[in-house]
């Protein structure tokens, strides 16, 4: 989890927030600007993040097939994504849009990752739980 957080998620989210700050500018409507950033975050970044998370976890942890034999990396990744991605996305959409509305409206750019990291303490526990559950 630390490898993923420090090597993948951290740099990715820092650059994503910088991109949103500069690319999504609607001076005539600050509220629309914030809602647009949240919408992009949830429809572009979130699916990519969940794909990277479950793929990384499957690659790093290994997985046994139904027959008790270890399966290849590609099959592990496909299984983890098939078992967990949609459920993770639905749960994400119940938690993160509200967090990001507050984050983008009230928190300066340089502190947004800190807010996400605080909420992620619980969120990553959920993703880890989901990652271990498999189907059902």
């Amino acid at each position: 989890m630390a490898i993923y957080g420090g090597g993948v998620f951290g740099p990715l989210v820092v650059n994503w927030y910088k991109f949103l700050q500069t690319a999504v500018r609607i001076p005539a409507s600050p509220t629309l600007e914030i809602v647009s950033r949240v919408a992009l975050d949830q429809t572009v970044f979130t699916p990519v993040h969940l794909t990277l998370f479950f793929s990384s976890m499957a690659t790093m942890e290994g997985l046994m097939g139904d027959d008790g034999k270890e399966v290849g990396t590609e099959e592990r990744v496909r299984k983890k994504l098939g078992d967990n991605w949609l459920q993770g996305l639905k749960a994400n959409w119940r938690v993160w849009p509200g967090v990001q509305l507050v984050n983008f409206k009230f928190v300066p750019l340089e502190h947004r990752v800190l807010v996400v990291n605080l909420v992620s303490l619980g969120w990553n526990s959920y993703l880890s739980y989901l990652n271990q559950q498999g189907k059902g």
Side-chain angles (χ1 to χ4, degrees):
M1 193 72 160
I3 293 169
Y4 175 78
V8 177
F9 182 76
L12 188 63
V13 77
V14 166
N15 288 308
W16 175 247
Y17 287 164
K18 286 178 185 175
F19 167 77
L20 286 177
Q21 186 72 21
T22 57
V24 181
R25 306 292 294 172
I26 307 172
S29 180
T31 300
L32 182 58
E33 181 175 293
I34 292 166
V35 169
S36 298
R37 288 178 183 163
V38 172
L40 277 173
D41 186 62
Q42 294 303 301
T43 60
V44 175
F45 182 81
T46 294
V48 170
H49 162 57
L50 288 175
T51 301
L52 287 171
F53 175 80
F54 290 120
S55 298
S56 298
M57 294 301 114
T59 300
M60 290 186 278
E61 71 191 11
L63 187 69
M64 304 302 275
D66 293 334
D67 57 2
K69 296 179 182 173
E70 188 170 336
V71 296
T73 301
E74 187 177 324
E75 190 175 337
R76 283 196 310 262
V77 169
R78 200 176 4 245
K79 179 168 176 31
K80 283 291 182 184
L81 289 173
D83 290 352
N84 302 318
W85 189 86
L86 186 57
Q87 186 176 349
L89 183 65
K90 288 176 183 177
N92 178 92
W93 286 344
R94 287 190 294 270
V95 173
W96 286 101
V99 170
Q100 294 296 52
L101 280 169
V102 171
N103 201 17
F104 293 146
K105 178 152 179 74
F106 298 110
V107 180
L109 176 61
E110 62 271 12
H111 299 301
R112 289 181 186 156
V113 174
L114 177 60
V115 170
V116 167
N117 285 338
L118 290 172
V119 177
S120 288
L121 290 171
W123 177 248
N124 288 339
S125 297
Y126 170 74
L127 283 182
S128 294
Y129 166 80
L130 186 61
N131 185 59
Q132 293 304 310
Q133 295 308 300
K135 249 193 192 348

